[in-house]
Amino acid sequence: MSEQIISSTVKVAYQGERGAFSEAASHRLLGQNIRAVAHRTFEEMFDSVTRRAADCAVVPIENSLAGSVHKNYDLMLEHDLTIIAEADMRIVHNLIAPAGVEMSEVRRVYSHPVALAQCERFLRDHPQMEASPAYDTAGSVKMVVERRRTDEAAIAGRTAATVYGARLLAEGIEDDSLNFTRFLLICAPDRTPVIEASIKTAAASAERKTSIVFRSANSPGALFRAIAAFALRDINLTKIESRPIQGRPWEYSFYLDLIGDRTDLKVERALAHLSEMTESIRVLGSYSSAGALN
Amino acid sequence: MSEQIISSTVKVAYQGERGAFSEAASHRLLGQNIRAVAHRTFEEMFDSVTRRAADCAVVPIENSLAGSVHKNYDLMLEHDLTIIAEADMRIVHNLIAPAGVEMSEVRRVYSHPVALAQCERFLRDHPQMEASPAYDTAGSVKMVVERRRTDEAAIAGRTAATVYGARLLAEGIEDDSLNFTRFLLICAPDRTPVIEASIKTAAASAERKTSIVFRSANSPGALFRAIAAFALRDINLTKIESRPIQGRPWEYSFYLDLIGDRTDLKVERALAHLSEMTESIRVLGSYSSAGALN
């Protein structure tokens, strides 16, 4: 009986330790009734979904301060998976310590160097705390909880505190509150209906979006002609980014997000038009924003 | 006398520890006869140039795996500095240890988590080496050299080995050799002629490039009309990237690089044309690729 219940629970792959921001994004997209499975690397996470060891994966694709995660675009192109939802998560950093530890006792703070750098002002205002680099944010919480020292804390998302039964000593300690990461929910194309049924729909937006990647040689006006396919049909673009193809000077990949579903007639026609202008084109998926609860 | 010699040496600000990739990029752009000055953060580096404490700065702006460094675009917009050269550096990681240490003795390897992740295959093939996160690549070399243990090494660029008198135990250990970072050389506009005279010109390219940032509301076709300014004049684009403006839905910043100097008549006209279509536009500089020696 319980076997059956487990097997009907959606199994979501993410990268990072338990309590990572990606795990929080998984719950935001799919609710609490899922089995979120930690993976050490993005490659292993994509492989899990391709091998059907996981039903879907939650993938960070861009951050408002650090830019697009090209590596995950590359993995999207290597795997035959499709995007079925997206969610924007605010990245909030917190000072987290084992239960019983007081703020005034903390002398050493562990976290990923990027998170430490994003909390520079807080650390400068608390010079008694020495910042110490670690592999990741959630993993630092795990470590300080296991060590149970009264003078150590970690910087991580709130989920990590919950997961490891630790205490929030200070919340929202990042310098720049405009720190967002966009996560994509991906799965094998034939699993789309099943996973889509589990998505927590955002109240705000029923609008569909489509993500594509295309390649083009860069003659003057090549991009202009390519995006004419959308402009001539009044299709709105929400992202465009060129990326040089290494070792092939003057050739580029373009990432493009547009408003509309790939099955909308005008989007379908625009994609057919675009494919006349480009060397290759891949539709990564059509999807809505999800997970309004937060 | 020696005072005079020092004051005529170009003072170049960079972010990171001595021996960082940014320091290597400084030498690639300006040769060995400079004074490269380490800064803890990008903010401090930009401030140094604005306050005239440094003559110029070398800024990483995008990486072929990790994407654009939005933070440095933001700092460019906050400061009245101009780009006067660019250089593409291949990021090569090496295993580096104090002199006398043999590969077989190494049990612990320090580096920035991103560098450790980029050398995953090497670390998997050497399971006796435990990877340990640290603040930065060059700083890890500094640390293992200071500690002088015979079982510790670091992963960093070759410059760090030279700077700290350490030994290269293994070269080019990164998984993906298509790992490039593009660096910009920036200075105060009125210092341009002086600094330009110090740039090591690339043999290959005398071609000029211009970088701009503009803002636009995203009505359908807005980007199409904007880049028409270049397409209609046969001006080639080498980079385009949109970035959502947080807190202002449907408004975007665009980063755009084009071939040509801002003083070329057709570029000048295209920029005037573009400014009719956009809310704001800032020319970050016109420059050539430099530093062919490497």
Side-chain angles (χ1 to χ4, degrees), chain A residues 25 58-64 67-69 73 83 85-91 180-185 209-211 238-239 256-258 287 289, chain B residues 244:
Chain A
V58 167
V59 187
I61 200 72
E62 58 185 314
N63 173 269
S64 58
S68 290
V69 186
Y73 272 102
I83 308 169
E86 67 169 353
D88 260 315
M89 296 274 290
R90 225 196 97 193
I91 302 301
F180 289 83
T181 297
R182 180 180 171 220
F183 289 90
L184 301 175
L185 178 63
K209 209 188 237 188
T210 297
S211 291
T238 61
K239 176 189 175 91
L256 198 141
D257 291 351
L258 57 95
Y287 52 90
S289 281

PDB file of all heavy atoms in Angstrom, chain A residues 25 58-64 67-69 73 83 85-91 180-185 209-211 238-239 256-258 287 289, chain B residues 244:
ATOM      1  N   ALA A  25      12.536  25.787  -4.621  1.00  0.00           N
ATOM      2  CA  ALA A  25      11.847  26.053  -5.891  1.00  0.00           C
ATOM      3  C   ALA A  25      10.993  24.850  -6.299  1.00  0.00           C
ATOM      4  O   ALA A  25       9.894  25.017  -6.844  1.00  0.00           O
ATOM      5  CB  ALA A  25      12.866  26.388  -6.977  1.00  0.00           C
ATOM      6  N   VAL A  58      14.226  20.494 -11.529  1.00  0.00           N
ATOM      7  CA  VAL A  58      14.084  21.933 -11.353  1.00  0.00           C
ATOM      8  C   VAL A  58      15.466  22.555 -11.565  1.00  0.00           C
ATOM      9  O   VAL A  58      16.406  22.231 -10.862  1.00  0.00           O
ATOM     10  CB  VAL A  58      13.506  22.249  -9.960  1.00  0.00           C
ATOM     11  CG1 VAL A  58      13.649  23.722  -9.622  1.00  0.00           C
ATOM     12  CG2 VAL A  58      12.037  21.836  -9.922  1.00  0.00           C
ATOM     13  N   VAL A  59      15.554  23.428 -12.583  1.00  0.00           N
ATOM     14  CA  VAL A  59      16.837  23.886 -13.102  1.00  0.00           C
ATOM     15  C   VAL A  59      16.978  25.408 -12.990  1.00  0.00           C
ATOM     16  O   VAL A  59      16.186  26.130 -13.598  1.00  0.00           O
ATOM     17  CB  VAL A  59      16.938  23.528 -14.615  1.00  0.00           C
ATOM     18  CG1 VAL A  59      18.319  23.833 -15.156  1.00  0.00           C
ATOM     19  CG2 VAL A  59      16.543  22.081 -14.868  1.00  0.00           C
ATOM     20  N   PRO A  60      17.985  25.918 -12.265  1.00  0.00           N
ATOM     21  CA  PRO A  60      18.211  27.365 -12.280  1.00  0.00           C
ATOM     22  C   PRO A  60      18.750  27.769 -13.648  1.00  0.00           C
ATOM     23  O   PRO A  60      19.720  27.177 -14.127  1.00  0.00           O
ATOM     24  CB  PRO A  60      19.268  27.579 -11.191  1.00  0.00           C
ATOM     25  CG  PRO A  60      19.976  26.273 -11.083  1.00  0.00           C
ATOM     26  CD  PRO A  60      18.963  25.206 -11.438  1.00  0.00           C
ATOM     27  N   ILE A  61      18.137  28.755 -14.291  1.00  0.00           N
ATOM     28  CA  ILE A  61      18.548  29.096 -15.660  1.00  0.00           C
ATOM     29  C   ILE A  61      19.111  30.513 -15.769  1.00  0.00           C
ATOM     30  O   ILE A  61      19.928  30.791 -16.645  1.00  0.00           O
ATOM     31  CB  ILE A  61      17.389  28.840 -16.663  1.00  0.00           C
ATOM     32  CG1 ILE A  61      17.893  28.706 -18.099  1.00  0.00           C
ATOM     33  CG2 ILE A  61      16.296  29.899 -16.555  1.00  0.00           C
ATOM     34  CD1 ILE A  61      18.624  27.435 -18.406  1.00  0.00           C
ATOM     35  N   GLU A  62      18.685  31.409 -14.858  1.00  0.00           N
ATOM     36  CA  GLU A  62      19.331  32.723 -14.833  1.00  0.00           C
ATOM     37  C   GLU A  62      19.118  33.404 -13.501  1.00  0.00           C
ATOM     38  O   GLU A  62      18.133  33.160 -12.811  1.00  0.00           O
ATOM     39  CB  GLU A  62      18.851  33.636 -15.966  1.00  0.00           C
ATOM     40  CG  GLU A  62      17.376  33.904 -15.999  1.00  0.00           C
ATOM     41  CD  GLU A  62      16.966  34.735 -17.238  1.00  0.00           C
ATOM     42  OE1 GLU A  62      17.637  35.735 -17.540  1.00  0.00           O
ATOM     43  OE2 GLU A  62      15.982  34.368 -17.885  1.00  0.00           O
ATOM     44  N   ASN A  63      20.083  34.236 -13.148  1.00  0.00           N
ATOM     45  CA  ASN A  63      20.018  34.997 -11.905  1.00  0.00           C
ATOM     46  C   ASN A  63      20.130  36.478 -12.236  1.00  0.00           C
ATOM     47  O   ASN A  63      20.870  36.852 -13.141  1.00  0.00           O
ATOM     48  CB  ASN A  63      21.133  34.556 -10.954  1.00  0.00           C
ATOM     49  CG  ASN A  63      21.211  35.426  -9.707  1.00  0.00           C
ATOM     50  OD1 ASN A  63      21.931  36.414  -9.663  1.00  0.00           O
ATOM     51  ND2 ASN A  63      20.434  35.077  -8.708  1.00  0.00           N
ATOM     52  N   SER A  64      19.378  37.293 -11.491  1.00  0.00           N
ATOM     53  CA  SER A  64      19.312  38.718 -11.824  1.00  0.00           C
ATOM     54  C   SER A  64      20.641  39.438 -11.604  1.00  0.00           C
ATOM     55  O   SER A  64      20.855  40.505 -12.161  1.00  0.00           O
ATOM     56  CB  SER A  64      18.208  39.397 -11.014  1.00  0.00           C
ATOM     57  OG  SER A  64      18.449  39.223  -9.632  1.00  0.00           O
ATOM     58  N   GLY A  67      23.528  36.489 -14.137  1.00  0.00           N
ATOM     59  CA  GLY A  67      23.341  36.184 -15.554  1.00  0.00           C
ATOM     60  C   GLY A  67      22.830  34.778 -15.837  1.00  0.00           C
ATOM     61  O   GLY A  67      22.449  34.040 -14.921  1.00  0.00           O
ATOM     62  N   SER A  68      22.808  34.427 -17.127  1.00  0.00           N
ATOM     63  CA  SER A  68      22.289  33.135 -17.576  1.00  0.00           C
ATOM     64  C   SER A  68      23.254  32.009 -17.225  1.00  0.00           C
ATOM     65  O   SER A  68      24.466  32.190 -17.289  1.00  0.00           O
ATOM     66  CB  SER A  68      22.108  33.138 -19.098  1.00  0.00           C
ATOM     67  OG  SER A  68      21.052  33.988 -19.460  1.00  0.00           O
ATOM     68  N   VAL A  69      22.697  30.859 -16.879  1.00  0.00           N
ATOM     69  CA  VAL A  69      23.529  29.693 -16.599  1.00  0.00           C
ATOM     70  C   VAL A  69      23.705  28.924 -17.913  1.00  0.00           C
ATOM     71  O   VAL A  69      22.920  28.040 -18.246  1.00  0.00           O
ATOM     72  CB  VAL A  69      22.881  28.809 -15.509  1.00  0.00           C
ATOM     73  CG1 VAL A  69      23.818  27.677 -15.112  1.00  0.00           C
ATOM     74  CG2 VAL A  69      22.512  29.644 -14.284  1.00  0.00           C
ATOM     75  N   TYR A  73      21.722  25.678 -20.240  1.00  0.00           N
ATOM     76  CA  TYR A  73      21.236  25.746 -21.625  1.00  0.00           C
ATOM     77  C   TYR A  73      21.893  24.629 -22.446  1.00  0.00           C
ATOM     78  O   TYR A  73      21.232  23.948 -23.232  1.00  0.00           O
ATOM     79  CB  TYR A  73      21.543  27.114 -22.253  1.00  0.00           C
ATOM     80  CG  TYR A  73      20.473  28.160 -22.014  1.00  0.00           C
ATOM     81  CD1 TYR A  73      20.630  29.141 -21.060  1.00  0.00           C
ATOM     82  CD2 TYR A  73      19.299  28.158 -22.759  1.00  0.00           C
ATOM     83  CE1 TYR A  73      19.647  30.108 -20.848  1.00  0.00           C
ATOM     84  CE2 TYR A  73      18.312  29.124 -22.561  1.00  0.00           C
ATOM     85  CZ  TYR A  73      18.487  30.088 -21.601  1.00  0.00           C
ATOM     86  OH  TYR A  73      17.509  31.034 -21.402  1.00  0.00           O
ATOM     87  N   ILE A  83      10.584  22.087 -21.276  1.00  0.00           N
ATOM     88  CA  ILE A  83      10.219  22.970 -20.162  1.00  0.00           C
ATOM     89  C   ILE A  83       8.704  22.961 -20.015  1.00  0.00           C
ATOM     90  O   ILE A  83       7.995  23.142 -21.007  1.00  0.00           O
ATOM     91  CB  ILE A  83      10.654  24.423 -20.422  1.00  0.00           C
ATOM     92  CG1 ILE A  83      12.134  24.498 -20.800  1.00  0.00           C
ATOM     93  CG2 ILE A  83      10.349  25.306 -19.217  1.00  0.00           C
ATOM     94  CD1 ILE A  83      12.559  25.869 -21.328  1.00  0.00           C
ATOM     95  N   ALA A  85       7.192  24.502 -16.921  1.00  0.00           N
ATOM     96  CA  ALA A  85       6.794  25.616 -16.045  1.00  0.00           C
ATOM     97  C   ALA A  85       8.040  26.399 -15.660  1.00  0.00           C
ATOM     98  O   ALA A  85       9.162  25.926 -15.814  1.00  0.00           O
ATOM     99  CB  ALA A  85       6.094  25.107 -14.786  1.00  0.00           C
ATOM    100  N   GLU A  86       7.820  27.611 -15.179  1.00  0.00           N
ATOM    101  CA  GLU A  86       8.933  28.406 -14.652  1.00  0.00           C
ATOM    102  C   GLU A  86       8.501  29.054 -13.352  1.00  0.00           C
ATOM    103  O   GLU A  86       7.297  29.205 -13.094  1.00  0.00           O
ATOM    104  CB  GLU A  86       9.367  29.485 -15.646  1.00  0.00           C
ATOM    105  CG  GLU A  86       8.310  30.551 -15.859  1.00  0.00           C
ATOM    106  CD  GLU A  86       8.783  31.785 -16.621  1.00  0.00           C
ATOM    107  OE1 GLU A  86       9.983  31.915 -16.905  1.00  0.00           O
ATOM    108  OE2 GLU A  86       7.919  32.628 -16.911  1.00  0.00           O
ATOM    109  N   ALA A  87       9.480  29.439 -12.523  1.00  0.00           N
ATOM    110  CA  ALA A  87       9.179  30.189 -11.301  1.00  0.00           C
ATOM    111  C   ALA A  87      10.357  31.107 -11.002  1.00  0.00           C
ATOM    112  O   ALA A  87      11.510  30.713 -11.146  1.00  0.00           O
ATOM    113  CB  ALA A  87       8.945  29.240 -10.131  1.00  0.00           C
ATOM    114  N   ASP A  88      10.030  32.334 -10.613  1.00  0.00           N
ATOM    115  CA  ASP A  88      11.046  33.288 -10.174  1.00  0.00           C
ATOM    116  C   ASP A  88      11.110  33.234  -8.658  1.00  0.00           C
ATOM    117  O   ASP A  88      10.093  33.404  -7.991  1.00  0.00           O
ATOM    118  CB  ASP A  88      10.647  34.721 -10.575  1.00  0.00           C
ATOM    119  CG  ASP A  88      11.362  35.163 -11.826  1.00  0.00           C
ATOM    120  OD1 ASP A  88      12.583  34.926 -11.926  1.00  0.00           O
ATOM    121  OD2 ASP A  88      10.702  35.744 -12.708  1.00  0.00           O
ATOM    122  N   MET A  89      12.285  32.991  -8.106  1.00  0.00           N
ATOM    123  CA  MET A  89      12.419  32.928  -6.648  1.00  0.00           C
ATOM    124  C   MET A  89      13.309  34.056  -6.180  1.00  0.00           C
ATOM    125  O   MET A  89      14.395  34.250  -6.741  1.00  0.00           O
ATOM    126  CB  MET A  89      13.114  31.619  -6.236  1.00  0.00           C
ATOM    127  CG  MET A  89      12.360  30.367  -6.564  1.00  0.00           C
ATOM    128  SD  MET A  89      11.175  29.932  -5.266  1.00  0.00           S
ATOM    129  CE  MET A  89      12.303  29.439  -3.939  1.00  0.00           C
ATOM    130  N   ARG A  90      12.875  34.786  -5.158  1.00  0.00           N
ATOM    131  CA  ARG A  90      13.784  35.755  -4.566  1.00  0.00           C
ATOM    132  C   ARG A  90      14.789  34.991  -3.724  1.00  0.00           C
ATOM    133  O   ARG A  90      14.423  34.096  -2.962  1.00  0.00           O
ATOM    134  CB  ARG A  90      13.023  36.754  -3.691  1.00  0.00           C
ATOM    135  CG  ARG A  90      13.484  38.181  -3.966  1.00  0.00           C
ATOM    136  CD  ARG A  90      13.078  39.147  -2.897  1.00  0.00           C
ATOM    137  NE  ARG A  90      14.172  39.340  -1.968  1.00  0.00           N
ATOM    138  CZ  ARG A  90      14.057  39.928  -0.801  1.00  0.00           C
ATOM    139  NH1 ARG A  90      12.891  40.362  -0.403  1.00  0.00           N
ATOM    140  NH2 ARG A  90      15.106  40.058  -0.011  1.00  0.00           N
ATOM    141  N   ILE A  91      16.054  35.317  -3.889  1.00  0.00           N
ATOM    142  CA  ILE A  91      17.097  34.657  -3.111  1.00  0.00           C
ATOM    143  C   ILE A  91      17.311  35.464  -1.833  1.00  0.00           C
ATOM    144  O   ILE A  91      17.851  36.565  -1.867  1.00  0.00           O
ATOM    145  CB  ILE A  91      18.414  34.554  -3.926  1.00  0.00           C
ATOM    146  CG1 ILE A  91      18.181  33.793  -5.235  1.00  0.00           C
ATOM    147  CG2 ILE A  91      19.513  33.905  -3.104  1.00  0.00           C
ATOM    148  CD1 ILE A  91      17.666  32.377  -5.083  1.00  0.00           C
ATOM    149  N   PHE A 180      17.142  37.624  -7.747  1.00  0.00           N
ATOM    150  CA  PHE A 180      16.144  36.629  -8.137  1.00  0.00           C
ATOM    151  C   PHE A 180      16.796  35.537  -8.961  1.00  0.00           C
ATOM    152  O   PHE A 180      17.696  35.819  -9.757  1.00  0.00           O
ATOM    153  CB  PHE A 180      15.052  37.270  -9.014  1.00  0.00           C
ATOM    154  CG  PHE A 180      14.150  38.187  -8.270  1.00  0.00           C
ATOM    155  CD1 PHE A 180      14.517  39.512  -8.038  1.00  0.00           C
ATOM    156  CD2 PHE A 180      12.938  37.735  -7.776  1.00  0.00           C
ATOM    157  CE1 PHE A 180      13.681  40.365  -7.332  1.00  0.00           C
ATOM    158  CE2 PHE A 180      12.099  38.590  -7.077  1.00  0.00           C
ATOM    159  CZ  PHE A 180      12.465  39.902  -6.851  1.00  0.00           C
ATOM    160  N   THR A 181      16.341  34.314  -8.796  1.00  0.00           N
ATOM    161  CA  THR A 181      16.759  33.253  -9.703  1.00  0.00           C
ATOM    162  C   THR A 181      15.509  32.690 -10.379  1.00  0.00           C
ATOM    163  O   THR A 181      14.489  32.475  -9.732  1.00  0.00           O
ATOM    164  CB  THR A 181      17.533  32.144  -8.974  1.00  0.00           C
ATOM    165  OG1 THR A 181      18.735  32.715  -8.449  1.00  0.00           O
ATOM    166  CG2 THR A 181      17.910  31.009  -9.920  1.00  0.00           C
ATOM    167  N   ARG A 182      15.619  32.483 -11.681  1.00  0.00           N
ATOM    168  CA  ARG A 182      14.527  31.907 -12.460  1.00  0.00           C
ATOM    169  C   ARG A 182      14.797  30.411 -12.601  1.00  0.00           C
ATOM    170  O   ARG A 182      15.876  30.003 -13.043  1.00  0.00           O
ATOM    171  CB  ARG A 182      14.493  32.582 -13.821  1.00  0.00           C
ATOM    172  CG  ARG A 182      13.403  32.093 -14.734  1.00  0.00           C
ATOM    173  CD  ARG A 182      13.487  32.860 -16.058  1.00  0.00           C
ATOM    174  NE  ARG A 182      12.615  32.291 -17.046  1.00  0.00           N
ATOM    175  CZ  ARG A 182      12.922  32.142 -18.328  1.00  0.00           C
ATOM    176  NH1 ARG A 182      14.089  32.553 -18.796  1.00  0.00           N
ATOM    177  NH2 ARG A 182      12.065  31.592 -19.161  1.00  0.00           N
ATOM    178  N   PHE A 183      13.829  29.609 -12.169  1.00  0.00           N
ATOM    179  CA  PHE A 183      13.953  28.160 -12.255  1.00  0.00           C
ATOM    180  C   PHE A 183      13.000  27.613 -13.311  1.00  0.00           C
ATOM    181  O   PHE A 183      11.878  28.106 -13.451  1.00  0.00           O
ATOM    182  CB  PHE A 183      13.603  27.520 -10.907  1.00  0.00           C
ATOM    183  CG  PHE A 183      14.629  27.752  -9.840  1.00  0.00           C
ATOM    184  CD1 PHE A 183      14.537  28.856  -9.006  1.00  0.00           C
ATOM    185  CD2 PHE A 183      15.692  26.872  -9.658  1.00  0.00           C
ATOM    186  CE1 PHE A 183      15.493  29.084  -8.008  1.00  0.00           C
ATOM    187  CE2 PHE A 183      16.637  27.085  -8.671  1.00  0.00           C
ATOM    188  CZ  PHE A 183      16.540  28.193  -7.843  1.00  0.00           C
ATOM    189  N   LEU A 184      13.441  26.593 -14.037  1.00  0.00           N
ATOM    190  CA  LEU A 184      12.593  25.918 -15.020  1.00  0.00           C
ATOM    191  C   LEU A 184      12.274  24.517 -14.516  1.00  0.00           C
ATOM    192  O   LEU A 184      13.128  23.845 -13.928  1.00  0.00           O
ATOM    193  CB  LEU A 184      13.328  25.800 -16.361  1.00  0.00           C
ATOM    194  CG  LEU A 184      13.773  27.107 -17.010  1.00  0.00           C
ATOM    195  CD1 LEU A 184      14.582  26.822 -18.270  1.00  0.00           C
ATOM    196  CD2 LEU A 184      12.566  27.989 -17.331  1.00  0.00           C
ATOM    197  N   LEU A 185      11.063  24.095 -14.761  1.00  0.00           N
ATOM    198  CA  LEU A 185      10.676  22.713 -14.471  1.00  0.00           C
ATOM    199  C   LEU A 185      10.720  21.954 -15.799  1.00  0.00           C
ATOM    200  O   LEU A 185      10.060  22.356 -16.767  1.00  0.00           O
ATOM    201  CB  LEU A 185       9.264  22.693 -13.883  1.00  0.00           C
ATOM    202  CG  LEU A 185       8.684  21.311 -13.552  1.00  0.00           C
ATOM    203  CD1 LEU A 185       9.491  20.589 -12.482  1.00  0.00           C
ATOM    204  CD2 LEU A 185       7.222  21.447 -13.091  1.00  0.00           C
ATOM    205  N   LYS A 209       4.377  31.054 -22.367  1.00  0.00           N
ATOM    206  CA  LYS A 209       5.656  31.543 -22.852  1.00  0.00           C
ATOM    207  C   LYS A 209       6.313  30.381 -23.587  1.00  0.00           C
ATOM    208  O   LYS A 209       6.089  29.224 -23.234  1.00  0.00           O
ATOM    209  CB  LYS A 209       6.469  31.888 -21.599  1.00  0.00           C
ATOM    210  CG  LYS A 209       7.482  32.984 -21.759  1.00  0.00           C
ATOM    211  CD  LYS A 209       8.326  33.058 -20.492  1.00  0.00           C
ATOM    212  CE  LYS A 209       8.285  34.410 -19.857  1.00  0.00           C
ATOM    213  NZ  LYS A 209       9.250  34.512 -18.739  1.00  0.00           N
ATOM    214  N   THR A 210       7.126  30.680 -24.589  1.00  0.00           N
ATOM    215  CA  THR A 210       7.853  29.626 -25.296  1.00  0.00           C
ATOM    216  C   THR A 210       9.335  29.994 -25.330  1.00  0.00           C
ATOM    217  O   THR A 210       9.676  31.148 -25.601  1.00  0.00           O
ATOM    218  CB  THR A 210       7.298  29.467 -26.737  1.00  0.00           C
ATOM    219  OG1 THR A 210       5.928  29.062 -26.650  1.00  0.00           O
ATOM    220  CG2 THR A 210       8.084  28.424 -27.531  1.00  0.00           C
ATOM    221  N   SER A 211      10.193  29.022 -25.019  1.00  0.00           N
ATOM    222  CA  SER A 211      11.642  29.250 -25.063  1.00  0.00           C
ATOM    223  C   SER A 211      12.236  28.498 -26.241  1.00  0.00           C
ATOM    224  O   SER A 211      11.943  27.317 -26.437  1.00  0.00           O
ATOM    225  CB  SER A 211      12.312  28.749 -23.775  1.00  0.00           C
ATOM    226  OG  SER A 211      11.942  29.551 -22.683  1.00  0.00           O
ATOM    227  N   THR A 238      10.468  38.244 -24.427  1.00  0.00           N
ATOM    228  CA  THR A 238      10.805  38.579 -23.036  1.00  0.00           C
ATOM    229  C   THR A 238      12.264  38.305 -22.716  1.00  0.00           C
ATOM    230  O   THR A 238      12.735  38.664 -21.646  1.00  0.00           O
ATOM    231  CB  THR A 238       9.924  37.823 -22.029  1.00  0.00           C
ATOM    232  OG1 THR A 238      10.136  36.424 -22.216  1.00  0.00           O
ATOM    233  CG2 THR A 238       8.458  38.139 -22.228  1.00  0.00           C
ATOM    234  N   LYS A 239      12.981  37.660 -23.619  1.00  0.00           N
ATOM    235  CA  LYS A 239      14.417  37.466 -23.410  1.00  0.00           C
ATOM    236  C   LYS A 239      15.080  37.244 -24.751  1.00  0.00           C
ATOM    237  O   LYS A 239      14.562  36.510 -25.590  1.00  0.00           O
ATOM    238  CB  LYS A 239      14.681  36.227 -22.532  1.00  0.00           C
ATOM    239  CG  LYS A 239      16.162  35.900 -22.332  1.00  0.00           C
ATOM    240  CD  LYS A 239      16.348  34.548 -21.655  1.00  0.00           C
ATOM    241  CE  LYS A 239      17.809  34.178 -21.569  1.00  0.00           C
ATOM    242  NZ  LYS A 239      18.456  34.621 -20.332  1.00  0.00           N
ATOM    243  N   LEU A 256      16.020  32.723 -26.881  1.00  0.00           N
ATOM    244  CA  LEU A 256      14.900  33.645 -27.066  1.00  0.00           C
ATOM    245  C   LEU A 256      13.659  33.117 -26.352  1.00  0.00           C
ATOM    246  O   LEU A 256      13.322  31.940 -26.478  1.00  0.00           O
ATOM    247  CB  LEU A 256      14.662  33.777 -28.585  1.00  0.00           C
ATOM    248  CG  LEU A 256      13.852  34.962 -29.075  1.00  0.00           C
ATOM    249  CD1 LEU A 256      14.456  35.491 -30.370  1.00  0.00           C
ATOM    250  CD2 LEU A 256      12.446  34.551 -29.306  1.00  0.00           C
ATOM    251  N   ASP A 257      13.025  33.966 -25.569  1.00  0.00           N
ATOM    252  CA  ASP A 257      11.741  33.634 -24.944  1.00  0.00           C
ATOM    253  C   ASP A 257      10.687  34.548 -25.545  1.00  0.00           C
ATOM    254  O   ASP A 257      10.911  35.753 -25.683  1.00  0.00           O
ATOM    255  CB  ASP A 257      11.765  33.882 -23.425  1.00  0.00           C
ATOM    256  CG  ASP A 257      12.676  32.900 -22.702  1.00  0.00           C
ATOM    257  OD1 ASP A 257      13.155  31.936 -23.324  1.00  0.00           O
ATOM    258  OD2 ASP A 257      12.915  33.124 -21.494  1.00  0.00           O
ATOM    259  N   LEU A 258       9.542  33.990 -25.875  1.00  0.00           N
ATOM    260  CA  LEU A 258       8.478  34.797 -26.461  1.00  0.00           C
ATOM    261  C   LEU A 258       7.159  34.500 -25.758  1.00  0.00           C
ATOM    262  O   LEU A 258       6.989  33.455 -25.130  1.00  0.00           O
ATOM    263  CB  LEU A 258       8.363  34.498 -27.958  1.00  0.00           C
ATOM    264  CG  LEU A 258       8.111  33.036 -28.355  1.00  0.00           C
ATOM    265  CD1 LEU A 258       6.626  32.774 -28.551  1.00  0.00           C
ATOM    266  CD2 LEU A 258       8.878  32.722 -29.643  1.00  0.00           C
ATOM    267  N   TYR A 287       5.150  27.000 -21.751  1.00  0.00           N
ATOM    268  CA  TYR A 287       4.835  26.826 -20.329  1.00  0.00           C
ATOM    269  C   TYR A 287       4.271  28.114 -19.741  1.00  0.00           C
ATOM    270  O   TYR A 287       4.331  29.175 -20.368  1.00  0.00           O
ATOM    271  CB  TYR A 287       6.105  26.419 -19.573  1.00  0.00           C
ATOM    272  CG  TYR A 287       7.264  27.362 -19.842  1.00  0.00           C
ATOM    273  CD1 TYR A 287       7.462  28.474 -19.035  1.00  0.00           C
ATOM    274  CD2 TYR A 287       8.130  27.163 -20.922  1.00  0.00           C
ATOM    275  CE1 TYR A 287       8.497  29.362 -19.297  1.00  0.00           C
ATOM    276  CE2 TYR A 287       9.155  28.052 -21.193  1.00  0.00           C
ATOM    277  CZ  TYR A 287       9.335  29.149 -20.372  1.00  0.00           C
ATOM    278  OH  TYR A 287      10.348  30.042 -20.639  1.00  0.00           O
ATOM    279  N   SER A 289       4.083  30.595 -15.978  1.00  0.00           N
ATOM    280  CA  SER A 289       4.691  30.840 -14.666  1.00  0.00           C
ATOM    281  C   SER A 289       3.854  30.118 -13.633  1.00  0.00           C
ATOM    282  O   SER A 289       2.635  30.087 -13.731  1.00  0.00           O
ATOM    283  CB  SER A 289       4.710  32.328 -14.338  1.00  0.00           C
ATOM    284  OG  SER A 289       5.758  32.948 -15.006  1.00  0.00           O
TER     285      SER A 289
ATOM    286  N   PRO B 244      15.896  41.810 -17.671  1.00  0.00           N
ATOM    287  CA  PRO B 244      14.707  42.436 -17.095  1.00  0.00           C
ATOM    288  C   PRO B 244      15.118  43.461 -16.045  1.00  0.00           C
ATOM    289  O   PRO B 244      16.088  43.252 -15.319  1.00  0.00           O
ATOM    290  CB  PRO B 244      13.961  41.278 -16.436  1.00  0.00           C
ATOM    291  CG  PRO B 244      14.722  40.041 -16.721  1.00  0.00           C
ATOM    292  CD  PRO B 244      16.003  40.394 -17.379  1.00  0.00           C
TER     293      PRO B 244
END
